Amino acid sequence: MNFFSLYTHGFARVAVCVPALRVAEPAFNAERTIALAQQSSAAHAALALFPELGLSAYSNEDLFHQDALLDASLAALQRVVAASTDLTPLLLVGVPLRHEGRLFNCAVAIYRGQIVGVTPKSYLPNYREFYEKRQFAAARDALSGAIRVLGQTVPFGNDLIYVAEDLPGLRIHSEICEDVWTPVPPSTMAALAGATVLCNLSASNITIGKADYRRDLCAAQSGTCVAAYLYSAAGPGESTTDLAWDGHALIYENHECLAESQRFCDSEQVILADIDLDRLLQDRMRLGSFGDSVADQRERLRQMRQIPFAFQVPQGEIRLLRHVERFPYVPDNPATRDERCYEAYNIQVHGLLQRLRSTKIEKLVIGVSGGLDSTQALIVAARTMDRLGLPRRNILAYTMPGFATSERTHQNAHALMAALGVTAAEIDIRPSALQMLRDLGHPFVEGAAQYDITFENVQAGERTSHLFRLANYHNALVLGTGDLSELALGWATYGVGDHMSHYNVNASVPKTLIQHLIRWVVRHGEFGAAANTILQSILDTEISPELVPATAGNQDEPAQSTEAKIGPYALQDFNLYYTTRYGFRPSKIAFLSEHAWADASRGHWPEGLPQEKRVAYDFPTILHWLEVFLFRFFQISQFKRSAVPNGPKVGSGGSLSPRGDWRAPSDASATVWLEELRRVRETTVHTWGK
């Protein structure tokens, strides 16, 4: 299959259709159903959902007892079945069907000229404006599990799951309108039995406030079932004798709305979304409570019927319609991002607050470099002292210049400490670092420009050693500053280095989020105008460990670039999120990353991100840095993560604590991940962009 097809990477495109119809005119309704089915097929959809009783119209009332209408509805169904022969999607259409001397409100599953199964409505509303029991029987009233329709004998019941044989993970269940408004919808049992895409053929007249309830209902059902939930309500053409209709179509995936129709639209509509089947299956696999629920219902679930159909996967390059955020830890939506930053900041503050209360220690020691991580930790410490009613001077902040400290970061560190009103001091680590290098017999002592790992780690170790001894001396806690991105990449000096502290508020905060947390603090004026000026300067500074001095040129700016060594944090945080949160294979991560990053003009950028940071990465670059990530993350860095200090978990995709979300062996090999990525490179790079 084509690498740049969504179907290669565990996605399935689905369509929800709202056709125009005419009451009691099935031939016209079949024509409009076929037209939207063809539109869905042209869009390479695997599934197309239509409204309840869409071939007859829902609002026929006692006309449903007229043989002429029922015969015409059956003829309309036959036309749709015949027209489906060359179409891509499985169709779910609504039609009244006679069976066992009763009339049933049915969802008929059609695929390439065949009826696959028929699902009758389980719960018939008979209150307020609804009187369906006057015309229809419920699913429980049927005696047999099969129905004869259009010359075929097919499965009949609310226990049918349609399984796409050639698209792993696509397992479809249908229910009808009222079914989802009940305490235990049929789709709940279907999800526990393996269905991943839950479909609701609805009519659903509109009243004030009902649309919000539908959204809540679909969001909740998709979330509790860890599934996609598709909903199609009747649109233009239904009778308005006593009711009105808004044509509301919705597609949700695990509580997230992927697509929604325009309500009260005069024209027909098809909404499309790409469902991430891998994501749903990964979440179900991880959620022990989901598996426990399956076990609790095992006897009932064993009775569910799996109905296979030979799905023909669409071929060729089929690009994602789905929006993939460039920064998965930083929401695009400004309001959502603002709320997330507020929560993250306060989680950090409350974590530190509780640690100080429990230890009955009232002072903190922190190293302030003028970089992003120590800045975030320092402002969290300042707000924690405010919440505890303690003076900020209880924060003992030290800037510790080394052989490569730039003038800019040095000035920013001092200015920030002054603006926050903490106890500020400076310890020059060069003499003690030089003594250590002399003890080691390092060539740097004799004037050689040998800036190796030993040279770098001696400085990092000296800083941390000073901080711990200062904490002993002042009865304080050492506050860590290292972030989640650095932990993932092993970008920390192990043990007596920036790897260690008494408590680390940044432990589960990725680098890309830290930048926006600081921007949030600036935007909300948490610490005043003077602090804002310094914080903005820090945001504008190159990310650097500042351990290797410049050989020539500008001494005022950091000489090292962290991202030149281990990759852009924007890409590496993307890789980290999809590796740890969902366990996706490297090929899928590369596919998603290319979709998100290959075109800088596509999609939204987080507010406040400088224009020069709004860059694109081509596919070879994406693969290169993903390879770096996989090797560092899986093969050489776990031993550091196995010995990290305490720190609060901040986000659902953000903890590498060995006591929490991430437990892995320190001596694992990255071979399987790297080999899978190698195959991608060999088969795709030469065709990318052509």
Side-chain angles (χ1 to χ4, degrees), residues 445-527:
V445 177
E446 303 301 326
Q450 184 169 318
Y451 306 129
D452 53 14
I453 291 177
T454 301
F455 178 81
E456 295 188 49
N457 284 349
V458 161
Q459 296 173 77
E462 284 300 314
R463 288 184 174 122
T464 304
S465 179
H466 277 79
L467 293 175
F468 272 99
R469 302 298 74 78
L470 286 163
N472 292 155
Y473 186 64
H474 293 288
N475 190 30
L477 289 181
V478 176
L479 187 61
T481 61
D483 63 49
L484 181 72
S485 307
E486 293 175 342
L487 270 180
L489 293 159
W491 195 246
T493 301
Y494 184 76
V496 183
D498 53 326
H499 167 259
M500 193 47 60
S501 63
H502 287 128
Y503 195 74
N504 185 3
V505 291
N506 290 341
S508 77
V509 186
K511 189 80 75 177
T512 49
L513 179 56
I514 282 182
Q515 297 175 52
H516 287 278
L517 287 171
I518 295 173
R519 289 190 180 99
W520 181 84
V521 166
V522 171
R523 192 163 57 250
H524 287 264
E526 292 281 314
F527 296 101

Side-chain angles (χ1 to χ4, degrees), residues 150-197:
L150 298 180
Q152 288 184 250
T153 299
V154 297
F156 181 80
N158 62 4
D159 58 345
L160 309 182
I161 298 174
Y162 305 113
V163 180
E165 291 183 317
D166 297 320
L167 186 57
L170 181 59
R171 303 165 71 88
I172 301 163
H173 177 267
S174 62
E175 61 188 4
I176 303 174
C177 201
E178 183 80 4
D179 292 350
V180 76
W181 299 69
T182 60
V184 185
S187 57
T188 298
M189 291 298 132
L192 293 176
T196 53
V197 180

